[in-house]
């Protein structure tokens, strides 16, 4: 029968691995592929947050800075509960450079005290003893003053100066309170309630948080803002520390036994996140010069909390904050005290990771739904667009929760995951679509010419005639006596023979530059200079006919089954114009070659048995071959045609 292996059913076998489609996960299990992709992207974002936490948190912090600046720009009310007494450039020009004599500072405190404030909070440390400390110490003792001291937090170099004051009886030094390794305190003669002004310096140098309590040598010290409120209320510094309850509460709460309205949320490091809701112009600031020279309005200070600080560049008390790159430290404490008075301190809730995970899963679900839901835009465009919208919505939700509910959830890692998921799913869907089209193309190319299969796979089908007139050479090869052979033979055997013939014919035709256009029953129609251009199409068709004739002899049974005529191959060739393309409605198309050239090739194939010639050529095909390649057998009236045609045969056989 031939060289092609035939299985038990008579069908020619193929390599199973060669028929296995590429991208099985994308084509057979797309949901597994999508979920695996999202899982990998989630792991990548988690790894990024673990290995480079500053990158993700940096995006969160800088976006938070933008929100604080926006909120400050919307605030139109002045903060009258808190008055800043500013040692500014004008004061230094009037009373001399810093540090001032302690007698002059005592006079400043005396003038402030005369105006009736509830407390005088000094954002200034006086570490060095001076001969004139007595006057300042007496005024500090006489007025409701809160002094400042600052601690050194690791990895700062340990240093000590002055004498620490204001240690609390409770809470005890334990987690989450930070441990200080040094301090700068006031001179021993200056005795008053004291609060620390220790900031938390972020990686970019900005001050966005400060420890509410600091431990040093087993003793706890409260922040200046907390001590200011306690002193203004005339209460004892009786603070309590306890864990938060519920997903939306902070890890820790700092409260006061006598002031139930004072509740300060702390993070896992014991820090307070500082809000910057007020514009710098919202704070009422009075120059120390006006107070020392008696020009300050008394009504402004009466019943207010006074914050004494310095904004002169010569003193150098400037820090970067969300509201600017060089803000006086006194304004940081003013923002903190104002937020304490309003009870509006932002915090990161315990359930922030779970809430971000929930939002990530919800967004991923929306992206996955977009992959299968009917849509006008393809996923390759829609998914990144939807991901960008969801990322923007994530930031909007973060901003809304921060501004209205004082919840700092963070959004950068979620937005990064959403954007990566949108892009990744878009690439996944694009690759899956390409693989589906390639699979469709491979399947179609098994039934149609490759160029036709590619056009069907990658273009929309239309119910129009899509054909082109070309000068072609048509070869029609038919197995003679095949119908008689099929009678009484098992269908598996005849199918195996036909399959072997079609396989051989395809290989021979394509090797000679032609294209199999149709398998018709037990016949093959091939075309040259149709989908594939070639100039010597007639010569190629003739060479293919000779090669196919030689190889077909090895396929047919020899000797034939008893009582049957031997199988033989008849081949007809003609050249001329033909219309090649697709025809029929959009729901049922066919691709073929039409025209007189095709009809002549089919009809002269039927003459091969009558003329005992395996290969016959039409008059135009013979004319295109070299002289002497074929000989005329005369003119014949072909079935269904009205004009006789001259028929030729290869010269050797003729």
């Amino acid at each position: 029968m031939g060289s092609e292996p035939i299985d038990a059913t008579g069908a020619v076998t193929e390599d199973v691995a060669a028929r296995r489609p590429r991208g099985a996960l994308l084509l057979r299990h797309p949901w597994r592929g999508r979920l695996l992709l999202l899982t990998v992207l989630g792991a990548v974002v988690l790894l990024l947050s673990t290995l480079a936490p500053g990158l993700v948190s940096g995006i969160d912090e800088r976006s938070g800075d933008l929100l604080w600046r926006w909120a400050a720009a919307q605030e139109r009310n002045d903060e009258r509960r808190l008055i800043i007494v500013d040692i500014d450039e004008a004061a230094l020009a009037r009373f001399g450079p810093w540090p001032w004599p302690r007698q002059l500072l005592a006079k400043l405190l005396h003038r402030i005290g005369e105006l009736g404030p509830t407390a005088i909070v000094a954002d200034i440390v006086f570490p060095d003893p001076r001969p004139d400390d007595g006057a300042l110490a007496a005024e500090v003792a006489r007025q409701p003053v809160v002094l400042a001291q600052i601690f050194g937090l690791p990895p700062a170099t340990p240093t000590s100066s002055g004498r620490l004051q204001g240690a609390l009886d409770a809470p005890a030094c334990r987690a989450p309170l930070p441990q200080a390794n040094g301090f700068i305190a006031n001179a021993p003669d200056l005795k008053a309630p004291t609060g620390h002004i220790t900031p938390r310096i972020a990686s970019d140098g900005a001050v966005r948080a400060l420890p509410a309590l600091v431990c040093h040598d087993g003793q706890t010290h409260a922040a200046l803002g907390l001590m200011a409120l306690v002193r203004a209320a005339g209460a004892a510094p009786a603070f309590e520390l306890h864990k938060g309850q519920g997903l939306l509460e902070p890890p820790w709460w700092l409260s006061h036994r006598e002031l139930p309205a004072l509740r300060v949320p702390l993070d896992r490091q014991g820090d307070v996140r500082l809000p910057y809701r007020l514009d710098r112009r919202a704070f009422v600031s009075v120059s120390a010069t006006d107070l020392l020279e008696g020009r300050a309005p008394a009504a402004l200070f009466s019943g207010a909390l006074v914050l004494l600080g310095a904004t002169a560049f010569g003193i150098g008390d400037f820090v970067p904050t969300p509201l600017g790159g060089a803000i006086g430290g006194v304004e940081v404490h003013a923002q903190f005290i104002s937020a304490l008075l309003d009870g509006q301190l932002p915090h990161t809730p315990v359930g922030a990771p779970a809430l971000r995970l929930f939002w990530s899963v919800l967004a991923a679900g929306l992206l996955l739904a977009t992959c299968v839901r009917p849509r006008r835009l393809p996923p390759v465009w829609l998914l990144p667009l939807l991901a960008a919208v969801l990322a923007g919505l994530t930031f909007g939700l973060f901003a809304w929760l921060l501004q209205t509910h004082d919840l700092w959830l963070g959004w950068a890692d979620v937005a990064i995951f959403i954007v990566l998921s949108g892009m990744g799913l878009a690439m996944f869907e694009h690759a899956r679509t390409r693989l589906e089209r390639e699979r469709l193309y491979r399947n179609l190319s098994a039934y149609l010419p490759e160029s036709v299969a590619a056009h069907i796979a990658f273009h929309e089908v239309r119910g129009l005639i899509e054909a082109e007139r070309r000068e072609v050479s048509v070869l029609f090869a038919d197995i003679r006596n095949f119908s008689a052979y099929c009678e009484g033979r098992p269908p598996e055997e005849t199918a195996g023979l036909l399959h072997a013939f079609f396989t051989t014919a395809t290989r021979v035709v394509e090797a000679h530059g032609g294209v199999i256009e149709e398998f018709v029953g037990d016949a093959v129609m091939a075309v040259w200079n149709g989908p594939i251009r070639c100039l010597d199409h007639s010569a190629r068709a003739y060479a293919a006919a000779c090669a196919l004739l030689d190889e077909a002899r090895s396929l047919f049974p020899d000797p034939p089954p008893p009582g049957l005529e031997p199988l033989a191959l008849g081949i007809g060739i003609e050249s001329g114009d033909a219309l090649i393309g697709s025809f029929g409605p959009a729901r049922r198309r066919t691709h073929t070659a039409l025209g007189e050239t095709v009809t002549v090739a089919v009809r002269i194939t039927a003459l091969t048995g009558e003329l005992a010639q395996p290969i016959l050529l039409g008059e135009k095909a013979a004319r295109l071959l070299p002289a002497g390649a074929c000989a005329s057998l005369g003119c014949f009236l072909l079935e269904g045609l009205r004009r006789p045609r001259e028929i030729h045969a290869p010269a050797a056989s003729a």
Side-chain angles (χ1 to χ4, degrees):
M1 281 281 295
S3 59
E4 292 288 345
I6 302 178
D7 62 11
T9 65
V12 177
T13 60
E14 297 180 13
D15 184 5
V16 175
R19 292 184 282 114
R20 184 178 299 148
R22 295 182 300 165
L25 182 64
L26 275 70
L27 294 176
R28 298 180 183 177
H29 309 289
W31 279 107
R32 293 184 188 178
R34 296 182 185 114
L35 293 176
L36 177 61
L37 173 64
L38 293 179
T39 302
V40 171
L41 292 177
V44 168
V45 174
L46 181 61
L47 187 64
L48 178 65
S49 301
T50 303
L51 299 180
L55 176 62
V56 177
S57 63
I59 297 175
D60 284 336
E61 297 295 350
R62 285 166 176 78
S63 59
D65 294 349
L66 292 175
L67 292 176
W68 291 133
R69 287 197 288 271
W70 177 84
Q74 309 308 310
E75 182 61 43
R76 293 292 183 264
N77 297 323
D78 290 341
E79 175 57 86
R80 296 284 183 171
R81 299 166 298 178
L82 176 68
I83 306 299
I84 297 176
V85 174
D86 188 8
I87 302 175
D88 54 10
E89 297 290 347
L92 295 186
R94 174 65 178 84
F95 296 101
W98 190 263
W100 281 352
R102 299 290 165 83
Q103 290 182 343
L104 182 60
L105 291 170
K107 180 181 178 182
L108 179 59
L109 290 180
H110 179 75
R111 292 293 177 86
I112 296 173
E114 289 179 336
L115 301 178
T118 57
I120 304 172
V121 185
D123 181 31
I124 302 172
V125 184
F126 309 99
D128 302 324
R130 300 284 179 87
D132 55 350
D133 278 346
L136 181 58
E139 201 63 42
V140 167
R142 185 180 303 114
Q143 305 293 344
V145 174
V146 179
L147 295 179
Q149 56 194 10
I150 187 168
F151 290 95
L153 300 177
T157 303
T159 183
S160 299
S161 178
R163 188 181 69 179
L164 283 178
Q165 300 182 71
L168 305 176
D169 296 332
C173 282
R174 61 182 179 88
L177 306 183
Q179 299 289 331
N181 59 3
F183 62 88
I184 299 176
N186 295 288
D189 292 340
L190 304 179
K191 299 176 182 179
T194 309
H196 76 82
I197 55 174
T198 308
R200 284 285 192 183
I201 307 298
S203 58
D204 59 355
V207 176
R208 300 186 181 92
L210 58 83
L213 302 174
V214 173
C215 287
H216 183 271
D217 197 19
Q219 294 182 316
T220 307
H221 299 266
L224 183 67
L226 295 173
M227 294 301 296
L229 263 63
V230 170
R231 185 62 188 268
F239 293 102
E240 295 178 339
L241 188 65
H242 52 89
K243 288 188 175 182
Q245 303 294 327
L247 289 178
L248 297 181
E249 291 202 351
W252 297 89
W253 283 107
L254 181 66
S255 60
H256 193 278
R257 285 197 298 267
E258 301 178 22
L259 304 174
L262 182 59
R263 281 169 55 88
V264 181
L266 307 182
D267 63 15
R268 299 185 188 279
Q269 289 73 42
D271 293 343
V272 180
R273 178 174 289 277
L274 295 173
Y276 290 90
R277 288 190 175 88
L278 297 178
D279 188 86
R280 298 178 62 193
R281 295 168 294 183
F283 294 105
V284 179
S285 179
V286 179
S287 174
T289 303
D290 295 333
L291 280 159
L292 289 171
E293 295 182 348
R295 296 193 298 268
L300 193 63
F301 288 82
S302 179
L305 195 153
V306 175
L307 185 58
L308 175 61
T311 61
F313 280 99
I315 299 177
D317 184 17
F318 288 91
V319 292
T321 72
L323 300 184
I327 304 298
V330 66
E331 295 186 22
V332 175
H333 298 288
Q335 294 277 3
F336 181 38
I337 294 173
S338 178
L340 286 173
L341 291 171
D342 293 329
Q344 291 185 328
L345 287 169
H347 67 274
T348 300
V350 175
L355 294 173
R356 293 202 301 272
L357 177 61
F358 171 77
W359 182 252
S360 300
V361 172
L362 180 61
L366 291 174
L367 292 173
L368 288 174
T370 306
C371 295
V372 296
R373 186 176 179 181
R375 53 201 172 267
R376 296 182 64 182
L377 289 175
V380 69
W381 297 108
L382 185 58
L383 286 169
L385 179 62
L386 179 59
V389 172
L390 289 175
L393 186 61
T394 303
F395 175 72
L397 181 62
F398 165 78
W400 178 74
L401 290 174
L402 179 61
Q403 296 296 328
T404 60
H405 293 78
D406 299 316
L407 294 177
W408 179 283
L409 291 185
W411 71 284
D413 53 350
V414 179
I416 291 173
F417 170 74
I418 292 174
V419 171
L420 290 180
S421 298
M423 297 174 62
L425 287 175
M427 290 187 288
F428 180 93
E429 294 302 317
H430 178 69
R432 192 173 68 87
T433 301
R434 293 294 301 181
L435 287 175
E436 285 181 344
R437 289 181 177 179
E438 288 179 6
R439 181 177 63 176
L440 176 62
Y441 163 71
R442 288 194 301 269
N443 293 342
L444 287 174
S445 62
Y447 295 86
L448 298 168
E450 290 188 0
S451 60
V452 179
H455 181 80
I456 295 174
F458 298 105
H459 296 83
E460 292 291 335
V461 176
R462 299 182 300 172
L464 304 175
I465 296 177
E466 296 178 335
E468 181 183 4
R469 178 187 286 269
R470 303 286 297 277
E471 183 181 356
V472 299
S473 290
V474 178
L475 180 151
F476 197 85
D478 179 53
I479 302 177
R480 296 202 297 266
N481 304 320
F482 187 74
S483 297
Y485 174 81
C486 294
E487 186 178 3
R489 308 300 300 173
E492 292 82 5
E493 181 180 336
T494 57
L497 174 61
L498 198 60
H499 179 78
F501 169 63
F502 287 163
T503 302
T504 301
T506 301
R507 174 170 48 81
V508 170
V509 168
E510 291 179 351
H512 289 80
V515 173
I516 296 293
E517 193 65 46
E518 285 187 65
F519 294 127
V520 185
D522 58 353
V524 173
M525 185 173 74
V527 175
W528 277 261
N529 201 37
I532 301 177
R533 303 272 182 171
C534 60
L535 297 178
D536 53 343
H537 48 87
S538 181
R540 287 173 179 258
Y542 177 68
C546 296
L548 180 59
L549 186 64
D550 291 339
E551 294 201 25
R553 292 191 179 101
S554 63
L555 299 177
F556 302 147
D558 189 18
L564 294 179
E565 292 291 329
L567 297 178
L569 193 64
I571 302 175
I573 302 173
E574 177 60 309
S575 299
D577 289 343
L579 197 63
I580 300 178
S582 298
F583 308 88
R587 63 180 180 274
R588 186 64 174 86
R589 305 280 284 174
T590 186
H591 187 276
T592 188
L594 300 176
E596 183 181 332
T597 303
V598 178
T599 303
V600 170
V602 173
R603 296 293 185 264
I604 63 177
T605 302
L607 287 177
T608 56
E610 299 177 13
L611 300 179
Q613 294 287 341
I615 299 175
L616 294 177
L617 297 92
E619 54 190 18
K620 190 168 184 180
R623 191 164 57 247
L624 293 176
L625 293 178
C630 53
S632 175
L633 299 180
C635 291
F636 296 83
L637 182 62
L638 303 178
E639 181 183 355
L641 300 178
R642 294 179 296 176
R643 181 175 63 84
R645 262 67 173 187
E646 186 177 3
I647 306 301
H648 297 74
S653 62

